[in-house]
Amino acid sequence: MGHCLMAARRPHHVEGVISRFDPRFWTVNFPRPMMASVTTVAPDALRVDAVFYRRDDLAGLIWEAEDRHDHPLLAYETVRDFRDCRLSFRWRSQGLRRLDETHGPVLTIEGRDATGAARVWHVRLWNYAVGTPEDAVVSIDFASVIGGFALPADADPVWAGDVDRMFVSLVAPGYDESDAILDAPAEGWAELSGIRCEGPGSVIGIGDAVLPEHGLRIAGGYDDSYHLTPARLLRNVLHLGYRGAIVHYVGMSHYFRLNGGLMVTGALNAPCAAWHRSFAEEAAALGYDLIWSLSYELFDAHCPQGWKQRAADGSPALTGWVPPSTLLSPANAQAMAYLQAVARAFVAIGVAAGLAPKFQVGEPWWWVMGDGRPCIYDAAAVAAFDPVAVPSVHGALSAAQRDTLDAAGAVLAASTAALCAAVRADHPACETLLLAFLPTVLDARAPEAKRMNLPIGWASPAFDVLQLEDYDWVTAGDSASTRDGVALAEARLGYPVERQDYFSGFVLRAEDGAAHWPLIAATAEVARARGVRGVHVWALPQVLRDGFLYWDGEDAVEAFDDVLFPLELGAEAEVMPEFSTAVVTSAGGRESRNASWAGARTRYDVGPGVRSEADVAALLAFFRARMGPARGFRLRDPFDAEGADEVIGTGDGVTRRFPLVKHYGGAERRITRPVAGSVRVTLDGVATQGFALEPAGTVVLDAAPATGVVVSASFDFDVPVRFAEDRLSVARATFLAGAAASVPLVEVLEA
């Protein structure tokens, strides 16, 4: 496989053009708790649907000069000068302030004036409209457009030569500047059709590269994508090479209906339903399947109090997001009925678009507080299984406490079964999937927590497919926990590998991308090699933000053949450690030295090891097989091939992975090619067999050593090297005369 991160499109990348104001690339924004969505309804038309709850709710339909939402390879170019283009469209609306009213639709332009000073202009659309207040043609020439409400009295000429963004404001008929609740939720819509941009600046460039189809699938989330058009999202998915089923996580917010008290009262609000109808139709047209994903997580501010999981002291289960979400109690009949209604609504949207029904129960669990307190004491849970006191799930538990966790797990399993049954009541052939987040349900600090959060009631064939996710382990480089967690889940639930999917990712913060994406790509490859049904990258918003690219095929810079150089080296071989040091000598004779490398790289000349014509033949065959310097291999250094009692780390109670190193005084050398079977590990000097050896010379202990425990290792090792040159010269006459050939090799630094 190959992968990279791309911060920006390069000049040699494929570029196309789009009309400025292309309907696919508008976005929406608005304050909580209102909701709005933008969809493309024709190649030259878009529609905004909105629901308003407060009097000051305002939605903005936005065009940005800079594309901050697409993958850098696919983004449109930044052009801030709008003076050489003219925009026109037909406006139709209903349930909104009309074009001719105060607080009616206004085009707000944000940028800088001709002097570079920040400015905002407000262009009343009614001043540029022909027609009725709810059905008119609007035409704007950005070279001469004038802001202000009443013209010419309020005239404010716009200088559109340096614009950041512009947006059309949409408000409900009952709008005022207070934050009071409307008498009833208000739904409205606006449609811009026949969108045309004319003039010399009407066309802008856009990235148009298409990556070949590869072996990974994609997952995404509505909470991170609700403001974009479905057509825009799916364009990225298609061009980046992802195929197969898309996992679409509905999220914890933005999708539900609210009542006058701003509490969840129903399944899907109108903007959410409109967005997902468009999403399903676009996906079907492109040949994608959709797996609708729904979790037990809900935005806390709008969750009915009785639905929440609670700790023994009554504290609600709250996640670490800001603002927080909460977890619905699997024992609460009303909460579970709500989830069932949501699941049925989403799957029905997909079926109506011609998609096969597929539904995933996403990360259902009983929440555990940071200090280990389980949230299994809400009123419905207490009535269902009368839990005994479990102050913390960390550490050992009594028989009664374990029984309580088993009972909680049985309730959780029954709730997921009922959720899937509700969907299958509408669509009997629906494929059901379960997503389990292993770092939480198999937390090493809470060995019994799996009783409630990976219950036996989920064992095959409860679901058609088991999906496993482990990004906390992956981004920490803890592949050992991934391996052990997958094995435990398989043994406990019994799903064969061909009925498993794997989720690889995600990267929460952009600044961590360079460190985490290589781990994600590598773990995805391990899962593919394991034979799972599919591997999903989690998640699309982070792929687009960080510019992650993936392709099938071997990454040439990693080419290495795990074979030993075929000739035995004697003391005649030349070994030459080297550094790269810049030395600057001043006029007075003082030196300034800068070491470019943290450690030495070794060069070898193994020509003296060639002692016979058979050796020559073996050397030439080996050189050809490696394609000269193209592929690395192992070399046994005749002078430095073992480490004894090398300290490779100190325990902290959490870390299990310790890379092999050898020390040379204060210098340290990473050992990536230990000899199989030679590694011996001690903890505070006591030998242990409780470890495994990963590729690249990393020791993985079965259990994390306690804080302060010194981890040491003894080992034999080879040096990864390659041929230093593209040609190899061995003359038979010279060899028979007793002269040694020159066969230069150079160390390959792998870590």
Side-chain angles (χ1 to χ4, degrees):
M1 60 89 186
H3 69 277
C4 69
L5 298 181
M6 177 172 293
R9 192 167 74 249
R10 302 289 198 279
H12 64 276
H13 291 144
V14 177
E15 184 176 82
V17 295
I18 59 168
S19 175
R20 190 150 26 178
F21 303 112
D22 185 308
R24 295 173 295 174
F25 299 97
W26 291 76
T27 65
V28 289
N29 199 4
F30 46 86
R32 295 184 188 273
M34 77 161 292
M35 179 61 198
S37 65
V38 56
T39 57
T40 52
V41 293
D44 63 350
L46 62 82
R47 176 184 170 104
V48 179
D49 288 272
V51 57
F52 306 89
Y53 296 106
R54 298 183 186 274
R55 291 188 176 276
D56 62 349
D57 281 348
L58 180 150
L61 173 64
I62 304 166
W63 180 270
E64 296 183 81
E66 179 183 1
D67 186 345
R68 300 181 298 109
H69 305 293
D70 290 291
H71 191 284
L73 187 65
L74 304 173
Y76 58 76
E77 68 173 318
T78 300
V79 181
R80 301 187 187 279
D81 192 344
F82 287 75
R83 292 173 297 169
D84 53 0
C85 64
R86 301 178 298 278
L87 171 66
S88 64
F89 52 86
R90 181 185 178 187
W91 171 277
R92 295 174 60 243
S93 64
Q94 186 174 319
L96 304 173
R97 281 286 179 97
R98 301 182 310 176
L99 287 170
D100 63 337
E101 293 182 297
T102 302
H103 300 305
V106 168
L107 179 66
T108 298
I109 301 175
E110 299 174 339
R112 284 152 295 278
D113 64 19
T115 69
R119 275 295 312 269
V120 176
W121 296 271
H122 303 286
V123 179
R124 188 187 186 199
L125 292 187
W126 183 241
N127 292 336
Y128 295 89
V130 176
T132 71
E134 291 187 313
D135 189 346
V137 173
V138 177
S139 301
I140 297 175
D141 186 339
F142 288 99
S144 58
V145 64
I146 297 175
F149 184 80
L151 300 182
D154 300 327
D156 183 16
V158 175
W159 193 79
D162 191 6
V163 173
D164 292 327
R165 71 169 187 167
M166 54 185 68
F167 64 90
V168 178
S169 55
L170 310 172
V171 299
Y175 175 86
D176 61 38
E177 295 184 358
S178 73
D179 64 353
I181 304 296
L182 291 167
D183 295 337
E187 295 181 357
W189 59 267
E191 187 173 282
L192 280 64
S193 60
I195 298 173
R196 296 183 62 189
C197 188
E198 299 176 299
S202 63
V203 173
I204 57 177
I206 189 171
D208 203 29
V210 180
L211 269 68
E213 177 180 346
H214 51 67
L216 299 187
R217 302 177 178 184
I218 196 68
Y222 185 51
D223 271 343
D224 293 319
S225 306
Y226 62 86
H227 59 301
L228 307 177
T229 66
R232 185 177 192 169
L233 281 178
L234 289 167
R235 173 180 178 266
N236 280 273
V237 174
L238 181 70
H239 281 239
L240 294 176
Y242 297 97
R243 298 294 186 270
I246 300 171
V247 172
H248 179 66
Y249 173 51
V250 174
M252 65 177 182
S253 62
H254 294 107
Y255 68 86
F256 38 67
R257 288 182 177 272
L258 300 177
N259 60 22
L262 301 183
M263 289 291 111
V264 171
T265 188
L268 310 184
N269 60 57
C272 167
W275 192 96
H276 283 93
R277 283 193 295 269
S278 176
F279 185 61
E281 290 165 0
E282 295 272 357
L286 293 173
Y288 288 106
D289 285 325
L290 288 182
I291 299 173
W292 302 95
S293 171
L294 182 65
S295 78
Y296 284 40
E297 192 174 355
L298 197 62
F299 192 64
D300 179 66
H302 305 310
C303 182
Q305 294 298 316
W307 292 10
K308 300 179 184 181
Q309 297 179 23
R310 295 184 182 273
D313 65 357
S315 301
L318 297 178
T319 66
W321 301 112
V322 179
S325 55
T326 190
L327 277 294
L328 300 181
S329 171
N332 187 289
Q334 289 181 322
M336 294 301 99
Y338 160 75
L339 283 185
Q340 292 169 22
V342 174
R344 294 172 68 181
F346 277 118
V347 175
I349 286 174
V351 170
L355 297 171
K358 299 177 185 293
F359 174 67
Q360 178 216 83
V361 185
E363 298 180 350
W365 57 41
W366 292 99
W367 189 251
V368 177
M369 301 283 198
D371 58 6
R373 287 178 293 153
C375 293
I376 56 175
Y377 297 97
D378 59 273
V382 171
F385 56 91
D386 191 21
V388 302
V390 183
S392 174
V393 294
H394 294 167
L397 301 180
S398 69
Q401 291 171 329
R402 294 195 298 272
D403 289 344
T404 280
L405 298 192
D406 284 333
V411 169
L412 179 61
S415 73
T416 57
L419 184 53
C420 292
V423 176
R424 279 185 164 161
D426 297 337
H427 310 287
C430 181
E431 179 182 77
T432 60
L433 308 94
L434 171 74
L435 176 61
F437 184 60
L438 296 179
T440 292
V441 301
L442 300 178
D443 187 346
R445 299 172 302 168
E448 302 295 348
K450 61 181 175 289
R451 294 174 179 272
M452 65 177 182
N453 281 334
L454 199 69
I456 295 299
W458 286 347
S460 179
F463 300 89
D464 295 312
V465 179
L466 174 65
Q467 298 183 306
L468 300 176
E469 180 182 11
D470 63 347
Y471 63 80
D472 279 0
W473 291 337
V474 171
T475 55
D478 190 359
S479 57
S481 288
T482 291
R483 181 195 63 220
D484 296 346
V486 168
L488 191 153
E490 285 182 341
R492 185 169 176 81
L493 301 183
Y495 290 84
V497 68
E498 62 270 16
R499 287 176 54 209
Q500 294 179 34
D501 287 346
Y502 177 72
F503 278 48
S504 192
F506 77 22
V507 182
L508 179 61
R509 295 176 295 271
E511 57 267 28
D512 294 330
H516 290 173
W517 282 112
L519 298 171
I520 291 168
T523 311
E525 282 301 304
V526 171
R528 292 179 67 185
R530 193 165 62 86
V532 298
R533 189 190 69 158
V535 176
H536 296 263
V537 176
W538 174 253
L540 180 61
Q542 287 73 41
V543 167
L544 305 187
R545 179 197 67 195
D546 298 342
F548 177 68
L549 293 174
Y550 181 93
W551 60 90
D552 278 334
E554 186 175 60
D555 203 341
V557 299
E558 297 177 354
F560 190 92
D561 294 331
D562 199 25
V563 296
L564 189 65
F565 184 70
L567 305 181
E568 182 179 351
L569 304 184
E572 301 88 354
E574 295 183 12
V575 181
M576 297 161 283
E578 65 176 359
F579 288 89
S580 176
T581 307
V583 180
V584 177
T585 304
S586 68
R590 294 184 178 274
E591 290 185 348
S592 174
R593 297 177 294 278
N594 181 51
S596 301
W597 299 348
R601 183 173 70 164
T602 307
R603 290 184 177 272
Y604 299 88
D605 191 336
V606 297
V610 180
R611 298 181 178 86
S612 66
E613 291 192 52
D615 286 350
V616 172
L619 174 63
L620 293 174
F622 191 79
F623 182 81
R624 288 178 180 274
R626 307 287 82 73
M627 295 183 289
R631 307 189 66 82
F633 52 92
R634 289 174 177 258
L635 179 74
R636 189 70 47 81
D637 189 320
F639 307 108
D640 187 9
E642 65 180 33
D645 295 323
E646 300 286 347
V647 175
I648 61 174
T650 303
D652 60 8
V654 176
T655 303
R656 298 169 59 202
R657 302 175 76 252
F658 297 90
L660 292 177
V661 293
K662 182 174 180 180
H663 298 87
Y664 300 84
E668 187 177 274
R669 181 185 192 181
R670 179 76 166 84
I671 303 301
T672 59
R673 300 288 168 176
V675 176
S678 72
V679 178
R680 301 169 301 284
V681 177
T682 62
L683 304 176
D684 273 349
V686 179
T688 178
Q689 300 300 318
F691 72 91
L693 188 65
E694 285 188 345
T698 297
V699 169
V700 183
L701 297 170
D702 292 349
T707 301
V709 171
V710 176
V711 184
S712 301
S714 299
F715 46 81
D716 297 333
F717 67 93
D718 297 322
V719 181
V721 298
R722 62 170 172 82
F723 286 101
E725 299 175 357
D726 279 313
R727 61 177 59 86
L728 182 64
S729 177
V730 181
R732 187 170 187 272
T734 302
F735 172 76
L736 292 177
S742 177
V743 184
L745 308 177
V746 63
E747 182 178 2
V748 176
L749 299 180
E750 297 184 299

